[in-house]
Each structure stands twice: as C-alpha cells, then as structure tokens.
Amino acid sequence: MPLHLYNTLTRQKELFEPNTPNHVDLYMCGPTVYDDAHLGHARCYVAWDVLIRAMRYMGYTVNNARNLTDVDDKILNRARENNVPFGKWAKRYTQRFHEDMAALNVAPPTHEPKATEHIEDIINGCQVLIDNGHAYATDAGNVYYRTSAKADYGKLSKKPLDDLKTGARVEGETDKESPLDFALWKATPSDDTDSWAAPFGGSGKGRPGWHMECSAMNHRLFKGQLDIHTGGADLTFPHHENEIAQSEAWSGCQPYAKYWLHNGFVTVDNDKMSKSLGNFATIRDLLQKYNADTLRHFLLTHHYRMPVDFTPEALDGAANRVEKIHRSLKKAADALELVPDVLAEFDALAHNSNDPTVVQFVAALNDDINTPRALAAMDEAIQHLNTTLQTNGNNPAIVRDAFWPVWTCYTVLGYTTAGIFSGDTLPTSLKQPLQLLATQLGITPKKTIEAMLQAIIEHRSTAKANKDWATSDNIRSSLASQGVTLEDSKDGTTWSYKAPATMVTG
Ligand SMILES: [Zn+2]
C-alpha cells in the first residue's frame, strides 16, 4: 500500500498524490517566540519530523518551511514587562527554540521564514485582497478579510457559520462588516514604535495579523500552493481556515494545500497542556531528567492524531524501553566495530529492503504514519538482533544482517545516535593507555576507543567469572587511573568517565 494520509479537509484517509511526483512542498505553523517551548510543542514538531523523515526515506524530496512568529501581542507584552526591545526578546526565544529542537533531534526545516522579514509581502497581499474585493480597509486603518466574499469559507472546520462566529469573536474589533471577518492588518497609534508603515489609512502604521503571516510566507516560498500543511488540531479554526481563505483569494488557485494534517494535544488529567492553563512542562526541564530519545519514544507510542496523556510513570516507562534499545544497538555497534561514518552504507542498503520487519515498518508508516505499529515492527527487529547477538555475536556478517533493519527503523523515526556511539565523546588521550592495557590482556585491537573499553570490560567479566580476582582488580584500577569508573550490577558492568584531576589542571 503506498502512502495514505488522513486529510482534515475531507475527513478521510487518502492516497497521497503530490502536485509534482516524488516531491513534497510542506508548510508547518511554527512557534510564537515569547517563551520556552513545552511538551505540547515537542509533540507537534516531533510528529512532523517523523512524517518528513518517513517521506524522505520513501524517496520523496521534501521542501519544507516552519515559520517563526516573531512579532505578536504576546511577544510585545512580555518584552515590555521585561524592559527589553521586542526584537531582542524574540531573538532570545528563537535561539532557545532552536536549541530545544536540536536537542530533540528535530531536523531543521529547509526554510524558516520570520514574520518581520515578510512585512512587505504581507502588505502586498492585503492590497491584492482589497483590490479583488476579498478584503477592506476601515477608517481606522485596519484591514479585514471579507468572509462573505468567499462562498466556501468554513470548508476546513466544517462547522455552521453561526458556530464559527462565536469562535471568531476578537475583542476591540468593532469596525468589522461581519463578526466572522478577521484582521489581516492591525493599525497602531502613530506614536507606536513597534510597528510598520502601511498604506491603509488611519495612523498609517500597523502590525500584521497572525493568519496573514503564514499566507504571505507561503505565497513567497511556494507560490501559494502546497502539498501538505500541518499544525496542531487547535489551529484548524480560525488560523488554518483563514489561511485557506486568504491564500486562495490571493493566488486564485485551489486548493491552497492538498492535504491538511493535524496533531492531537498533549493532555494533563484530560486538560490540554498549555501556557494559559499553566499545566505545562518545558522541553528544557524534561531534558534535565530524560534524554531526547525518551521524550521522542513516549510521543511516538501514540498515533500523531491521538491525544497523549502526560504522566511521569509513562515517561519512566519510555526511559526504560529506550535504555534497552540503546543497549542492544550499542552491543551490535561494538560487535561490528561501527563508527558513525560506516553507517552511511547501511542507510543506502535500507532503501532496498525486503526484510520482513522493515516491510512491516514501512507499511505502518504508509498507513497515515502509524508510529505505534512502526514501533512494534522495530521491537520485532530488536528482538531478532538480541537473539542474534546471543547466538552469533562473534559473526559480524550475521550480526550485520540483524542490525540494519533495527537501524533503519531507528533512524527513520529520528532517534539520536549519541547514546550509541558515545565512544566518540571519549577523549583521544584515552586511546593509547587503553590500547596498551588491551595489548597486555591479549585483546585484539578495536577501531573505536569505546569498543576497546567494552572489550576490556568483557575481558574483566570473564576473569571475574573464572574467579581471577587479580586480573579483575588490575583492570578496574588501571581504568580508574584513566578516569573510567566501573560499576557492577546484576545486569552487568557499566562505565562512566570523568577526566582525572591531574589531566584537568593546567
Ligand atoms: Zn500558520
């Protein structure tokens, strides 16, 4: 079955047929940069990250944009409260958002347009809509979209217009023709310093309406026609409904976006996690306690359209699972003496896979990016890898065959490699002493420092099993002198590294 996606516009799962074969133009609504992003944001960006990774894996080229709303009442208010120019405030939270996305291994978008860099496009769009009768400027200098001019207004949210009117009420907008009309441009007083000159009358100054930003950026980047538009379910109305109205009236092309994908909320005790409810956990705070793969795994255990209920127990469960996945991959990576460079070959192989678990994995993704089912396929591949490591751990060819299906699933779902190739984080100064110790113990040299360390630890485990305490103790103290501490438990031996004091000074 080829890729099918659930389209909010038609309320059904549809065969995905982009406007240009094998190419996807995708737009997602990005953050308003006034505060740190929380788990609800992580949910949205991780979901679309997997969508994009999956489509790229399936052979599509994906040209995608994620905008930054860097001027908005929330930003202005926060900046004023803190006596900081709003541009500086927005820049600070843009930077922090980038750090959060990088930490979560969310791939950067092809384009990241900023509202403040598209003011001219926004003003031009307003003018086009005024000229073709889809918008009007009022005496105050506000510009509104005339919803009555578009016969199919409401086609995305599919609610009666009376219901939409209730949802669309915005305080202070008393000069509209209809309550359903919405602001494209908001006039500001003539002494307002955080605004732009505009030809719409009133004070001659103003700021863009939020909905118009996305239409203007899309008009610039994609000529106003998209294959996929994504966002949180809460954006369906009014934001996305209004984007459609603006963009279709501006470009004269329909549909603005062929497929509309919306992700479900993260909930806490059945309430949506949000800034306004104050029940949120920031990505930063969560990353203090859990690694990025744990957060990703927790989110991916739910289909992107379903709600995710946030509980510490569920996150702890995800942490356990991820640790096991990492352990299996680490073992295989060590057995194969893999370094990140070598893995490029595995990616190429993965494209031509007939492996039954990879086939299942791809089928799950083709079914509206069904990540719970994709994870089940990955689990099967991991089980096979674990069995292979036990029975044929010394046979690289066999381990390799069991390893790469796992690797394919793992990377397409966007997990990080940091936990698996931590050998790269060990200082090169350890290479020689470890090589020396390994030679003394009669261990064949390994390619990476960590593989060597792992081999030494295994040698010690064997020595311990043979009650050869002298060798075991010797290894422990030799490693300790290099800053490597061993910890024995019933599950085996783990290590940690801290540069010895003598190496730190000077
Ligand atoms: Zn948007």
Side-chain angles (χ1 to χ4, degrees):
M1 187 181 78
L3 178 60
H4 281 64
L5 297 171
Y6 183 89
N7 189 353
T8 309
L9 200 56
T10 58
R11 301 289 194 272
Q12 54 190 347
K13 239 184 249 180
E14 291 178 2
L15 173 67
F16 177 61
E17 291 177 294
N19 293 312
T20 307
N22 302 319
H23 177 84
V24 183
D25 283 332
L26 183 149
Y27 184 91
M28 72 180 79
C29 293
T32 300
V33 280
Y34 74 103
D35 203 347
D36 283 333
H38 59 65
L39 188 64
H41 302 107
R43 208 269 158 115
C44 160
Y45 300 118
V46 165
W48 310 133
D49 184 55
V50 171
L51 169 71
I52 291 166
R53 284 175 192 272
M55 288 192 301
R56 287 191 171 137
Y57 172 68
M58 290 166 189
Y60 294 99
T61 55
V62 182
N63 180 25
N64 69 311
R66 182 184 69 207
N67 74 305
L68 286 168
T69 297
D70 61 346
V71 57
D72 168 272
D73 285 345
K74 285 188 212 125
I75 301 171
L76 290 164
N77 293 339
R78 272 304 162 83
R80 282 170 192 161
E81 279 162 30
N82 289 277
N83 274 319
V84 174
F86 89 89
K88 202 173 167 187
W89 191 263
K91 214 169 158 186
R92 179 188 299 169
Y93 282 95
T94 298
Q95 162 95 28
R96 290 172 72 88
F97 175 71
H98 285 161
E99 287 165 7
D100 290 346
M101 291 301 107
L104 288 175
N105 204 33
V106 169
T110 327
H111 309 277
E112 193 175 48
K114 291 181 180 152
T116 53
E117 289 170 359
H118 288 266
I119 300 291
E120 209 182 307
D121 289 330
I122 293 168
I123 292 174
N124 286 342
C126 290
Q127 198 59 58
V128 171
L129 294 177
I130 292 171
D131 292 345
N132 71 19
H134 282 87
Y136 53 95
T138 66
D139 292 344
N142 294 314
V143 181
Y144 293 107
Y145 188 91
R146 182 179 282 126
T147 46
S148 63
K150 199 160 187 329
D152 59 2
Y153 183 75
K155 64 182 167 185
L156 182 69
S157 40
K158 296 194 197 318
K159 283 187 194 159
L161 290 186
D162 280 342
D163 285 7
L164 294 183
K165 275 178 196 162
T166 321
R169 205 152 284 153
V170 179
E171 221 175 295
E173 295 184 348
T174 52
D175 53 347
K176 299 198 279 195
E177 288 176 4
S178 152
L180 214 48
D181 294 355
F182 54 89
L184 304 180
W185 185 263
K186 299 176 193 174
T188 50
S190 53
D191 59 351
D192 189 293
T193 49
D194 301 326
S195 50
W196 288 264
F200 307 125
S203 67
K205 290 176 84 176
R207 282 193 286 276
W210 172 41
H211 315 307
M212 193 56 181
E213 272 176 38
C214 289
S215 283
M217 292 164 180
N218 275 314
H219 200 82
R220 167 69 60 187
L221 293 169
F222 304 101
K223 303 278 169 287
Q225 284 230 284
L226 297 164
D227 296 299
I228 300 178
H229 195 310
T230 70
D234 52 338
L235 297 185
T236 310
F237 184 84
H239 186 55
H240 290 159
E241 193 74 66
N242 293 352
E243 265 191 66
I244 293 176
Q246 293 160 167
S247 288
E248 292 185 352
W250 181 351
S251 70
C253 299
Q254 284 203 43
Y256 164 50
K258 224 171 155 184
Y259 304 88
W260 283 87
L261 272 58
H262 290 101
N263 64 275
F265 302 134
V266 173
T267 57
V268 183
D269 297 332
N270 294 321
D271 278 328
K272 181 191 161 198
M273 181 180 278
S274 72
K275 292 269 161 68
S276 49
L277 290 177
N279 60 352
F280 60 91
T282 65
I283 295 170
R284 266 160 207 266
D285 284 348
L286 289 168
L287 285 173
Q288 296 282 324
K289 190 165 176 210
Y290 303 99
N291 61 35
D293 288 339
T294 295
L295 295 190
R296 185 174 280 258
H297 188 80
F298 166 66
L299 296 169
L300 296 185
T301 51
H302 304 75
H303 185 265
Y304 75 86
R305 284 195 284 123
M306 297 295 132
V308 174
D309 199 40
F310 169 79
T311 62
E313 294 76 23
L315 270 172
D316 290 341
N320 274 329
R321 181 71 201 122
V322 162
E323 208 194 308
K324 287 195 178 114
I325 297 170
H326 282 173
R327 213 179 294 156
S328 301
L329 284 171
K330 244 163 124 64
K331 262 192 197 157
D334 289 345
L336 297 170
E337 297 188 22
L338 289 176
V339 290
D341 291 354
V342 179
L343 290 165
E345 294 164 32
F346 283 96
D347 260 354
L349 268 175
H351 277 286
N352 308 309
S353 166
N354 290 316
D355 178 273
T357 48
V358 175
V359 170
Q360 272 180 48
F361 175 76
V362 172
L365 294 175
N366 275 333
D367 185 11
D368 193 29
I369 313 295
N370 192 321
T371 53
R373 262 177 53 204
L375 286 173
M378 182 167 87
D379 274 348
E380 232 171 84
I382 291 170
Q383 266 173 30
H384 177 61
L385 175 64
N386 288 342
T387 316
T388 306
L389 283 166
Q390 270 170 16
T391 52
N392 284 291
N394 294 322
N395 187 330
I398 296 177
V399 174
R400 190 173 290 245
D401 280 350
F403 171 76
W404 74 256
V406 180
W407 189 248
T408 300
C409 303
Y410 186 84
T411 50
V412 172
L413 293 175
Y415 291 92
T416 68
T417 55
I420 296 150
F421 304 103
S422 48
D424 304 304
T425 64
L426 285 171
T428 41
S429 58
L430 266 181
K431 193 167 187 173
Q432 249 195 337
L434 288 191
Q435 242 165 11
L436 203 67
L437 179 60
T439 316
Q440 284 166 4
L441 297 166
I443 296 167
T444 358
K446 305 286 173 191
K447 272 186 200 151
T448 64
I449 302 174
E450 196 187 333
M452 216 138 59
L453 175 59
Q454 209 56 50
I456 293 169
I457 291 171
E458 269 160 38
H459 190 92
R460 177 171 166 271
S461 301
T462 313
K464 266 173 64 186
N466 294 333
K467 300 200 175 1
D468 178 1
W469 310 118
T471 304
S472 162
D473 290 348
N474 174 32
I475 291 174
R476 177 191 279 281
S477 59
S478 301
L479 291 177
S481 70
Q482 299 302 327
V484 179
T485 309
L486 299 184
E487 191 143 340
D488 296 318
S489 78
K490 62 173 170 42
D491 291 332
T493 305
T494 54
W495 61 267
S496 58
Y497 174 75
K498 193 169 177 258
T502 47
M503 288 167 68
V504 173
T505 52

